Amino acid sequence: MTSIGGAEMVDWNLAVATATRLVRPGPEVGRDEARAVVAELRGHARTSERHVREFTRMIPEGTPVEDTPVLVVDRAGWIRANVAGFRELLGPLLGRMQERRGNTPGGAVLGVVGGKVTGVELGMLLSFLASRVLGQYETFAPAGRDLPGSGGRLLLVAPNIVHVERELDVAPHDFRLWVCLHEETHRTQFTAVPWLRDHLEGEIQSFLGATDMDPMTVLERLREAAQSFAGARPEAEDGEEGRSLVELVQTPEQREILGRLTAVMSLLEGHADYVMDGVGPEVVPSVAEIREKFQQRRASGAGRLDAALRRLLGLDAKLRQYRDGERFVRAVVGQVGMDGFNRVWTSPNTLPTKSEIARPADWVARVHRKGTGEEA
């Protein structure tokens, strides 16, 4: 990434250091119990792979697919992985912004100061998120010494899984398998659909490339999020109540791209929820109890500060993606069956639009050409 005077727009090392220093400690777990949790999660990940493939039929039996790693990590490991991913994705955008700043008076000085400020603020946000993520299929992060593997890897955040299973008072064995079913579905989506990663990356880079902001505006957006985290966010401007960081930086072109990204993410998240609930009754005896308690937890958040930051970061929109996407998948499978639904993975042209997520019958009509006797 382009640098001015050795300084980057974001001090990534400082972001990691800040996040790992501020992140909440995990639940109290003895050494033997911790080892048992890690071993069980790894075993569930292997078991989930078979269950998900059989249920989704996305990968025909005997078809070779990319074998991506499964890593059980702590909160610090999740932070390091996501900083690496952010650095990879945001590199081109930050490089352009840094060149712009380097052409202004005092740009080199701003590079040093701004990079450290942004690093601290990014670290604060990651410290908030690191205690909440149960698992993640990490699509874009490059290989590293601490987290080997490239081309995608599945992260399971052990302390967070233990924390939530205790908070919900559910059977640990069942809950861990249930979580693995959801995350393994994401892994299957990307290993079974080779073009999906490049398509998503292209859309994200187009979104970032359409950004037309000066560096100080980006810093201000991060500062708003950090102030919200500290409970000191100023009153919102008229019309900005509840708007997320993504919504605040959009251009008209970005809004179009974001609509497509929202549809894809709704599909991926909803599909994962549908699969884990579809597989669940056969392999997770207490799945109904887990789903009910987990849905209540998703909806309630953890107080006013948590809710404010979730809105600012756009996490409320992510919750809607789970709900709307699952409804789309359920409706389509109900109309055309699992194999008919799997037409969605044919190409970028068969992905649902944002409006089709809300009206699944429109997707069925477009892709299957219902009523004409012809299929797309």
Side-chain angles (χ1 to χ4, degrees):
M1 186 165 57
T2 305
S3 62
I4 304 295
E8 294 181 335
M9 280 284 294
V10 179
D11 188 328
W12 300 105
N13 292 331
L14 185 56
V16 171
T18 301
T20 52
R21 185 177 70 253
L22 294 179
V23 71
R24 298 173 182 176
E28 292 187 9
V29 178
R31 181 174 297 180
D32 290 342
E33 183 182 0
R35 289 174 177 168
V37 170
V38 170
E40 185 172 23
L41 287 172
R42 286 174 176 160
H44 283 333
R46 289 191 296 270
T47 301
S48 296
E49 182 177 4
R50 174 173 54 85
H51 289 312
V52 169
R53 290 187 181 186
E54 289 177 355
F55 183 82
T56 64
R57 302 202 290 271
M58 291 179 65
I59 303 175
E61 188 174 351
T63 302
V65 295
E66 181 183 14
D67 185 20
T68 57
V70 178
L71 303 171
V72 181
V73 298
D74 58 11
R75 292 171 178 176
W78 181 88
I79 288 167
R80 289 193 297 270
N82 277 268
V83 166
F86 286 146
R87 190 170 189 169
E88 185 84 354
L89 276 178
L90 297 178
L93 170 67
L94 296 182
R96 291 194 302 272
M97 293 173 63
Q98 187 144 349
E99 288 176 359
R100 183 188 304 179
R101 185 174 60 188
N103 294 328
T104 63
V109 175
L110 280 175
V112 176
V113 176
K116 292 190 178 300
V117 170
T118 309
V120 169
E121 293 176 338
L122 177 60
M124 293 175 70
L125 299 182
L126 287 171
S127 73
F128 169 83
L129 296 171
S131 62
R132 286 158 172 77
V133 176
L134 301 182
Q136 172 187 359
Y137 187 74
E138 199 190 10
T139 312
F140 303 113
R145 184 179 61 184
D146 294 330
L147 293 172
S150 59
R153 54 201 176 196
L154 179 59
L155 306 180
L156 298 169
V157 190
N160 295 350
I161 293 172
V162 172
H163 170 77
V164 174
E165 70 191 26
R166 291 179 179 178
E167 181 183 274
L168 298 181
D169 190 25
V170 293
H173 174 86
D174 287 5
F175 183 74
R176 294 167 193 175
L177 177 55
W178 188 73
V179 170
C180 287
L181 288 170
H182 180 101
E183 303 307 333
E184 177 58 38
T185 303
H186 288 316
R187 184 165 173 250
T188 298
Q189 289 163 348
F190 283 93
T191 54
V193 186
W195 55 263
L196 185 57
R197 180 189 185 278
D198 289 342
H199 173 72
L200 265 182
E201 184 174 16
E203 291 281 58
I204 292 170
Q205 291 299 340
S206 296
F207 179 86
L208 296 175
T211 297
D212 186 22
M213 289 191 305
D214 63 271
M216 294 309 296
T217 302
V218 175
L219 292 177
E220 182 59 30
R221 295 299 181 236
L222 281 173
R223 191 165 296 112
E224 288 179 9
Q227 288 171 340
S228 178
F229 178 76
R233 186 184 179 218
E235 294 296 323
E237 300 288 341
D238 291 341
E240 289 191 2
E241 180 64 30
R243 295 176 69 191
S244 70
L245 287 175
V246 170
E247 291 171 324
L248 288 169
V249 304
Q250 284 182 69
T251 65
E253 182 181 356
Q254 283 180 305
R255 281 193 288 273
E256 291 185 13
I257 300 170
L258 186 63
R260 297 195 297 270
L261 279 170
T262 298
V264 176
M265 297 312 297
S266 295
L267 169 69
L268 299 180
E269 296 293 358
H271 183 235
D273 267 11
Y274 177 81
V275 170
M276 73 178 180
D277 285 346
V279 174
E282 292 188 8
V283 299
V284 182
S286 60
V287 65
E289 177 191 3
I290 291 173
R291 163 58 74 186
E292 181 181 0
K293 290 183 175 180
F294 195 75
Q295 288 286 60
Q296 292 173 355
R297 183 181 185 274
R298 265 183 184 172
S300 64
R304 294 177 61 188
L305 177 58
D306 187 46
L309 188 54
R310 277 170 39 185
R311 282 197 304 272
L312 192 61
L313 295 176
L315 299 183
D316 282 346
K318 185 173 178 64
L319 297 182
R320 290 194 296 273
Q321 289 172 5
Y322 286 108
R323 182 192 64 218
D324 297 344
E326 195 273 343
R327 188 179 299 147
F328 169 84
V329 176
R330 186 173 300 279
V332 171
V333 172
Q335 290 186 59
V336 297
M338 184 63 75
D339 292 332
F341 165 78
N342 282 339
R343 292 283 297 277
V344 78
W345 312 115
T346 304
S347 75
N349 292 331
T350 56
L351 291 172
T353 64
K354 190 176 180 179
S355 64
E356 287 171 342
I357 289 288
R359 294 188 293 273
D362 291 354
W363 180 87
V364 173
R366 177 173 66 86
V367 174
H368 289 268
R369 301 286 175 89
K370 290 294 184 181
T372 67
E374 177 185 0
E375 288 199 338

